[in-house]
Amino acid sequence: MKRLATSLMLGLGAALILALGVTTGPRDAAAQGWEPKKPVEFVIMAGKGGGADRLSRFIQGIIEKHGFASKPFVPVNKGGGSGAEALVYLKQHKGDPHVIMATLNSYYLTPLRQPDLGIDISKFTPITRMAEDTFQLWVHADSDIKTVDDYVKAVKKAGAANWKMGGTGTGIEDSLVTAMLEKKFGIKVTYIPYKGGGTVAKELIGKHIDSTVNNPSEQAGFWEAGKSRPLASFTPKGKLSGRFGEIPTFEELGYGTDMVYYMQRSFIAPEGIDKDVQAFYVGVFEKVYKSDEWQDYMKKKGMVPGWLTGTALTEYFVAELEAHRKLLQDAGEIQ
Amino acid sequence: MEVFSLLVNGFFIAFEPLNLSLVIAGVVVGLFIGAMPGLGSVNGVAILLPMTFLVPPTSAVIFLAAIYYGAMYGGAISSIMLGIPGASTAVATTFDGRPLALKGMADKALVAAATASFVGGTISVVLFTLFALPMAEVALAFGPPETFALMVLAFSTFIGLGGDDIAKTLFSIFIGLVFSAVGLDIISGEPRLIFGGLTGFYHGINFLVLAIGIYGIGEMLWTIEVSRGDVLMSKATVSFRRIINCLKELRSSAKTMVLSSLLGYFVGILPAAGATPGSLMAYGVAKTMAKNPETFGKGNVDGVVAPEAANNAASTGSMLPMLTLGIPGSPTTAILLGGMVIWGLEPGPLVFVDHPDFVWGLIASLYVANVFALLINIGFIPAFIWVLKMPFTILAPIIFVLCVIGGYVPTQDMHDVWLMLIFGVVGYMMRKLDYPMAPAVLAIVLGPLAEPALRQSLIGSHGDVMIFFERPISGSIMAIAIILFALPLVKLVKARWKRAT
């Protein structure tokens, strides 16, 4: 029994040492021409397999492939609580130069919806905005609906109870875009939240729902295969190129300039990061941005290129935060 | 037959020296990643994804698929040898694999696991080859009501068993369901049961944390109590003749193997389900169908065969929605999907048309991976058995350390390690009080699938529960589930009536 107890203690000790070794490490940054001293934690504020995850892993792939950084970027998913977990994690890693985060719009929405978290996003260190993802209104290719006008008529005819709109979650992007649509056209739909955009797209193709506001990347394959149809794009005119540029915008269809909503694809670091650390990350992402792979990816996935750094990015974040506050208030999600 | 000429082409690709060596390397790496508690195919594929930039895209996907596959085989090893689930997909394998090992029949369990994995893998690859596109339509036909009906069916296989104490089974299911509700609720967008904002609860209770706690730590505590310091835990031997004998005896499990493979494949192709629910459901079905359900959980070979056949079949099945719909059927295929995008292969309805070499090369490589995984696995059995010969005083701390690592790795959060230790103690107590733990594990896996499906269906039907019965697919699944629920009740009434007359 005594031997057993000793070995148990030894095991416990070993585990402790292991755990300590992982959680604490050198956290200081050298003064100039900063380079990471160890692998960089690349926090993704969404779960595995979603749009943000795929994008971040794609960027990691480009960095790895071309050797843009001397140490690897290791993706860590912290999607819990619509990114609340990731935001709290970043807050706790104040001054840590080896942590960066890929953000989406939950970067604004989660702190607004959950003020108890005590997150002030203006404190984080901005790195860059790489692009803005767009939204379109989609229906099944078999439906008779060919235009936004047809759509509005069909929804009004069916009534809210019989028109199912699928989207990702409640109080986040898809539901806000749906609310914009409802307000603009005076229609009502039954909104069904799903876990990810991929599932939403599949539900539309399987005819379990009547329409979606998917991102291009989620519907592109089905559209190409002739299974879904985009009606209009929630972008200002002329922003999208290629195939997605052929989709009319709400503005072009004469519904005004306010039917615009983007999903930002930005990267940030914790609070209290040295200027040269920030410069290092901006440098890495600049190389990624200029790579052929990234330029190609944006075109294929219907994204609007949007390189933005420094104070311009900080101002953008502030403006977006306020815009989302208003959207949430309009949707009745917050006071 | 167009399919066969395409498949033959695929084999030419799979047998290219580079691809063949990548398949073998992938299977071996996967085997060990799968055998390490907490490190499953998800981690393996994610870690090795960047390495694949060194080879052409098709070879890269073949390599990663081989890892995925090998991990499915490997997960069984620590489940059987140490009682710690090697991966979430191998949790059900501990239910009977561990008791078998304790009885000195570890070799039998390992051979059964390897063979069942092979059969499951092969059946599903054949199905994949022949019916990939029609099966994609089936995946599309499954909306929330159908998913929910399937989950009810899964629960019914666990509750509709006469042998166990029904009240305790129910308790176990409900506690699992409560745990599965922790974290963000996607329907309302609000966090639930986070105990005053403990950030570790935002990501919910990781199912592996519960399983490793209950089966790894709980089992270790239990063994300490039972063995009372007795150093040797089981007499395990292995010889070539014994392995051959084991293979011969497996013939009686053929039915379970085939059935579980079909079930696993089917669950695998449904987006968002994956291999873990598939293996648990197969276990439940095997138990329900068995002539001697009371021997399950105490070392029935069918209890190893069912989940192992199902998880391999499901892992192949889950590549189907990934390839044809661009929607991952499991967390691992989600990472694979990301990889494909990086390599410029756009998965989706057109992938079979645009990239036939890639698709058929991948499918053919799955056939090859299966054969190698079986051979390598059986070849390693003597080495695995050696682990069991270690005195428990050495093994216990190793198990403990592996458990702690396994609890930490998936989320890299110390919160989960503490939670796992608590679950370990609770699991030990539940065991002392004779509560079945498998239903709790099932509930925490299926809860997060069942609950949103239920609520999505009801939002769509405005609260009308008839939606589950009116639709042809969900209606028939529901009917079977209800029959399974009623079965123990009927048995009870029958027994009473017999006694009365």
Side-chain angles (χ1 to χ4, degrees), chain B residues 102-449:
Chain B
L102 289 175
K103 282 194 215 161
M105 290 192 284
D107 54 343
K108 194 173 176 182
L110 286 173
V111 171
T115 316
S117 299
F118 176 73
V119 172
T122 307
I123 288 181
S124 61
V125 182
V126 171
L127 287 175
F128 196 119
T129 312
L130 298 176
F131 309 112
L133 293 174
M135 287 312 266
E137 295 294 319
V138 175
L140 279 180
F142 259 69
E146 286 77 17
T147 308
F148 180 69
L150 192 70
M151 294 302 126
V152 173
L153 181 67
F155 280 114
S156 69
T157 61
F158 262 65
I159 201 172
L161 299 164
D164 300 326
D165 185 333
I166 289 185
K168 282 180 174 172
T169 306
L170 277 176
F171 174 82
S172 191
I173 287 187
F174 287 134
I175 199 86
L177 282 177
V178 170
F179 284 152
S180 79
V182 173
L184 185 88
D185 168 27
I186 61 146
I187 307 281
S188 68
E190 303 291 334
R192 288 191 300 206
L193 301 177
I194 49 165
F195 296 92
L198 281 177
T199 47
F201 283 115
Y202 275 110
H203 59 239
I205 294 180
N206 188 320
F207 148 73
L208 255 189
V209 167
L210 179 91
I212 293 180
I214 288 182
Y215 290 100
I217 303 280
E219 175 77 24
M220 191 185 71
L221 294 172
W222 177 259
T223 315
I224 290 172
E225 190 191 302
V226 174
S227 66
R228 303 256 166 217
D230 189 2
V231 284
L232 213 64
M233 49 188 305
S234 74
K235 294 179 218 68
T237 47
V238 66
S239 68
F240 184 66
R241 190 180 297 159
R242 273 185 68 123
I243 290 180
I244 297 293
N245 269 338
C246 295
L247 280 172
K248 276 185 190 152
E249 286 170 29
L250 271 177
R251 233 179 288 165
S252 61
S253 303
K255 202 180 84 182
T256 311
M257 263 186 223
V258 174
L259 202 71
S260 308
S261 307
L262 295 176
L263 181 72
Y265 178 70
F266 182 69
V267 174
I269 62 169
L270 301 178
T276 307
S279 64
L280 284 161
M281 285 171 71
Y283 182 85
V285 169
K287 193 174 173 185
T288 314
M289 307 268 289
K291 288 191 196 79
N292 45 357
E294 68 286 348
T295 59
F296 273 76
K298 296 179 185 120
N300 187 323
V301 175
D302 279 0
V304 174
V305 165
E308 281 304 308
N311 69 21
N312 271 64
S315 68
T316 307
S318 65
M319 293 201 188
L320 202 142
M322 173 189 84
L323 285 174
T324 58
L325 305 177
I327 303 162
S330 70
T332 313
T333 44
I335 309 267
L336 273 179
L337 191 66
M340 288 172 63
V341 176
I342 301 176
W343 303 313
L345 296 161
E346 199 61 50
L350 296 179
V351 76
F352 278 79
V353 184
D354 293 347
H355 305 284
D357 280 2
F358 161 74
V359 173
W360 292 99
L362 174 64
I363 293 177
S365 80
L366 291 177
Y367 283 95
V368 181
N370 248 314
V371 175
F372 280 106
L374 178 72
L375 294 178
I376 292 167
N377 214 324
I378 292 195
F380 270 113
I381 285 180
F384 298 139
I385 294 285
W386 176 78
V387 171
L388 267 193
K389 289 186 176 164
M390 271 198 265
F392 191 62
T393 42
I394 294 176
L395 209 49
I398 295 177
I399 292 178
F400 184 81
V401 171
L402 287 177
C403 285
V404 171
I405 297 172
Y408 181 77
V409 168
T411 50
Q412 301 181 18
D413 190 345
M414 269 312 278
H415 167 90
D416 283 352
V417 176
W418 299 121
L419 207 59
M420 180 199 70
L421 293 174
I422 295 169
F423 281 135
V425 176
V426 172
Y428 163 72
M429 290 195 294
M430 275 174 79
R431 188 154 177 188
K432 273 209 93 129
L433 299 171
D434 208 21
Y435 278 86
M437 286 172 295
V441 173
L442 181 88
I444 203 169
V445 173
L446 300 186
L449 299 174

Side-chain angles (χ1 to χ4, degrees), chain A residues 1 3-4 7-8 10-12 14-16 18-19 22-23 41 48-50 53-54 57-62 64-65 74-82 84-85 88-89 92 113-114 117 160-162 164 168-171 190-195 198-199 201-203 205-208 217-218 221-222 224-225 227 293 297 300-301 333, chain B residues 42-43 46 49-51 53 137 139-146 183-184 186-191 199-200 202-204 220 224 228-229 231 271-272 324-328 331 334-335 337-338 341-342 344 346-350 354 391-394 396-397 400-401 404-405 408 410-414 418 455-457 459-462 467 471:
Chain A
M1 252 348 256
R3 262 179 70 198
L4 189 87
S7 6
L8 259 177
L10 271 175
L12 204 79
L16 263 177
L18 214 118
V22 177
T23 46
E41 247 185 279
K48 288 194 177 91
D53 182 53
R54 284 194 221 168
R57 287 178 193 274
F58 180 67
I59 288 175
Q60 178 219 0
I62 298 175
E64 202 93 7
K65 193 173 167 187
V74 184
V76 182
N77 295 83
K78 291 197 183 290
S82 273
E85 196 192 352
V88 171
Y89 185 81
Q92 287 164 348
R113 285 171 52 88
Q114 298 177 38
L117 294 173
N162 296 316
K164 291 180 212 149
T168 55
T170 298
T190 300
Y191 180 78
I192 306 181
Y194 291 90
K195 200 160 179 196
T199 314
K202 177 228 135 198
E203 291 287 305
I205 305 310
K207 298 186 183 171
H208 301 289
S217 59
E218 293 154 356
F222 294 119
E224 206 168 319
K227 300 203 172 203
E293 286 96 335
Y297 187 82
K300 255 202 249 158
K301 300 287 182 184
E333 290 284 342
Chain B
V42 187
N43 312 78
L49 185 65
M51 280 181 63
F53 294 123
E137 295 294 319
L140 279 180
F142 259 69
E146 286 77 17
L184 185 88
I186 61 146
I187 307 281
S188 68
E190 303 291 334
T199 47
Y202 275 110
H203 59 239
M220 191 185 71
I224 290 172
R228 303 256 166 217
V231 284
T324 58
L325 305 177
I327 303 162
I335 309 267
L337 191 66
V341 176
I342 301 176
E346 199 61 50
L350 296 179
D354 293 347
F392 191 62
T393 42
I394 294 176
F400 184 81
V401 171
V404 171
I405 297 172
Y408 181 77
T411 50
Q412 301 181 18
D413 190 345
M414 269 312 278
W418 299 121
R455 292 171 68 189
Q456 283 154 0
S457 310
I459 292 173
S461 74
H462 296 273
I467 188 169
R471 295 161 63 112

Side-chain angles (χ1 to χ4, degrees), chain A residues 17-18 36 58 66 83 101 152 158 175 196 202 231 277 287 328:
Chain A
I17 292 166
L18 214 118
F58 180 67
H66 296 292
M101 182 163 88
V152 174
S175 68
K202 177 228 135 198
L231 298 178
V277 178
K287 285 179 199 151
L328 281 176

